[in-house]
Amino acid sequence: MAKLLSWIDNAKAICMICVFILHSEAYYGFGSVSYGILFKPFYVNAFFFISGYLFFGKWLNVSALTVEGGGYLKALENAVCRLMIPSLIFSVIVFIPKTVFHSEDLNIMSFVTHVFGGISYWFTSALFVAQIVLLTLVVTLQRKDIWTYLLCSVFLFAIGWYLNCIRTDNNAEAFLPWFWKTGIEYTLFMALGGVYMKYEDRIHARRKVILTLSAVVYIVATIMAFRGVGFQLMGLGGRCDLPGAIWIASGIALIIALCRYIEHNRFLSFIGQNSIVFYFFSGVFPAFIGMVARRIFSDGNYIVTITVAALSIALAWIATMIINRYLPFLIDIRNIKRG
């Protein structure tokens, strides 16, 4: 079990580190080449895949998730307290600094849209929606086979994908409420994580063939991307094409394989175990440090980009330690009663 948790923490940590690097690119710059393109196929997509691995590992035995037994309500409570409410709290905390930073108007409507509409943190919003949808499917269908939920998630993905493809703008209002269209798409990634969980041993037995094929696909796609070929790789907009899906699949396969070979270490474990908290800081710290760095190093040197990311992670680490020790209710409101 410790080894299992180790590779999962490693994968979540690496995904979160990639988030910081990409956000540092966005806020500071990257010079002539955006090396962050190496991470885009998996940096959030793998996180949803791993979330599905954990979700179905816990709830595929539907006898434990019945309305009568309170399992559904307990699972719903966990999702609300550990995803929805923290998203609301941190959205309130960063609303004014974020609005001022982006030179936007401060008004009540914008506050309601970004905070209560779940727009400030698209990742946790979409993850919350995906979890609630899958929880509802599990308690409704009462099936123990993963293929039923995979089939349902394919249907949901098709709906979300179509609605995101016909979307004509990227304004906050287009994603209300809570990035639900993107969220129902990501049920497919979570269901695929469940398939991997169910057949993990069989897949692992064929790892050499899978990894060789994945590595070839990833390298070819990366070269194409650096040469200007466009790929749709999901993310907040929820848009994906077939070449993008293939690149995403190869990226997830590679990152999981890599994380299985990384030994347990405190650095990755801490980030992995607190990945949602790190995510809440993955915008504000790169934005602040990137702004300062632009005034000192205006040429967009990628060494500076990595430095911005590293300093941002360090600040997020300190902030996470403070929250865990003194303000645990920020990440789970139920800790008020426990305290």
Side-chain angles (χ1 to χ4, degrees):
M1 179 60 71
K3 188 175 181 180
L4 169 66
L5 293 177
S6 178
W7 83 257
I8 290 174
D9 286 341
N10 290 342
K12 290 162 66 177
I14 290 175
C15 288
M16 203 51 55
I17 291 170
C18 292
V19 171
F20 275 83
I21 294 174
L22 285 163
H23 285 182
S24 297
E25 282 193 0
Y27 288 114
Y28 166 70
F30 49 80
S32 59
V33 179
S34 169
Y35 295 101
I37 199 170
L38 291 166
F39 316 132
K40 288 184 178 179
F42 67 81
Y43 79 114
V44 288
N45 297 322
F47 204 104
F48 280 97
F49 186 90
I50 295 165
S51 296
Y53 179 101
L54 295 171
F55 175 90
F56 284 105
K58 182 176 183 179
W59 295 120
L60 201 57
N61 178 12
V62 295
S63 62
L65 188 61
T66 61
V67 174
E68 293 80 5
Y72 176 75
L73 295 179
K74 184 65 176 179
L76 184 62
E77 177 188 310
N78 285 334
V80 169
C81 292
R82 301 183 69 177
L83 282 175
M84 184 180 186
I85 294 178
S87 295
L88 291 172
I89 292 173
F90 281 92
S91 294
V92 171
I93 293 172
V94 304
F95 175 74
I96 293 179
K98 181 179 179 181
T99 303
V100 172
F101 180 85
H102 291 287
S103 300
E104 298 174 348
D105 294 331
L106 280 169
N107 56 69
I108 296 298
M109 184 55 66
S110 177
F111 177 82
V112 171
T113 299
H114 284 80
V115 175
F116 296 102
I119 301 302
S120 292
Y121 291 104
W122 81 266
F123 170 72
T124 48
S125 294
L127 181 60
F128 173 73
V129 169
Q131 285 196 7
I132 295 303
V133 169
L134 289 175
L135 281 169
T136 304
L137 281 174
V138 169
V139 76
T140 301
L141 298 177
Q142 295 287 295
R143 296 293 297 268
K144 296 184 179 181
D145 62 291
I146 186 62
W147 300 107
T148 297
Y149 305 107
L150 180 65
L151 181 62
C152 291
S153 67
V154 169
F155 178 69
L156 290 168
F157 176 88
I159 294 174
W161 177 82
Y162 174 74
L163 292 174
N164 273 319
C165 284
I166 64 173
R167 178 170 42 79
T168 57
D169 63 73
N170 290 318
N171 294 327
E173 292 76 9
F175 299 100
L176 291 171
W178 290 75
F179 284 87
W180 72 272
K181 293 186 285 290
T182 303
I184 63 173
E185 282 187 83
Y186 271 115
T187 59
L188 176 58
F189 286 69
M190 292 184 66
L192 289 171
V195 172
Y196 176 70
M197 179 277 302
K198 188 72 174 179
Y199 299 99
E200 185 173 4
D201 292 338
R202 297 184 190 180
I203 294 172
H204 194 61
R206 296 168 176 82
R207 64 188 180 279
K208 292 183 179 179
V209 175
I210 295 173
L211 288 179
T212 301
L213 181 60
S214 297
V216 171
V217 169
Y218 203 85
I219 292 171
V220 171
T222 301
I223 293 172
M224 293 172 63
F226 276 120
R227 291 184 175 180
V229 177
F231 293 84
Q232 294 184 336
L233 300 167
M234 289 291 289
L236 66 88
R239 290 174 178 171
C240 183
D241 54 17
L242 182 58
I246 295 172
W247 197 12
I248 290 169
S250 65
I252 292 175
L254 288 174
I255 197 65
I256 289 177
L258 171 65
C259 291
R260 284 185 172 278
Y261 287 104
I262 297 176
E263 294 295 327
H264 173 80
N265 66 84
R266 294 177 62 185
F267 175 74
L268 292 179
S269 293
F270 183 80
I271 297 176
Q273 292 167 14
N274 297 278
S275 53
I276 296 299
V277 186
F278 272 81
Y279 169 72
F280 287 136
F281 292 115
S282 67
V284 61
F285 288 141
F288 173 72
I289 298 175
M291 177 183 66
V292 174
R294 278 202 315 272
R295 297 181 178 181
I296 304 173
F297 308 98
S298 58
D299 58 349
N301 190 307
Y302 209 84
I303 295 177
V304 180
T305 305
I306 296 299
T307 303
V308 169
L311 290 174
S312 299
I313 292 171
L315 289 177
W317 186 294
I318 295 170
T320 301
M321 291 181 66
I322 292 172
I323 288 173
N324 286 343
R325 185 172 180 84
Y326 300 108
L327 304 167
F329 64 89
L330 292 179
I331 52 178
D332 190 338
I333 198 70
R334 294 170 296 183
N335 285 324
I336 293 179
K337 294 181 179 179
R338 294 168 186 165

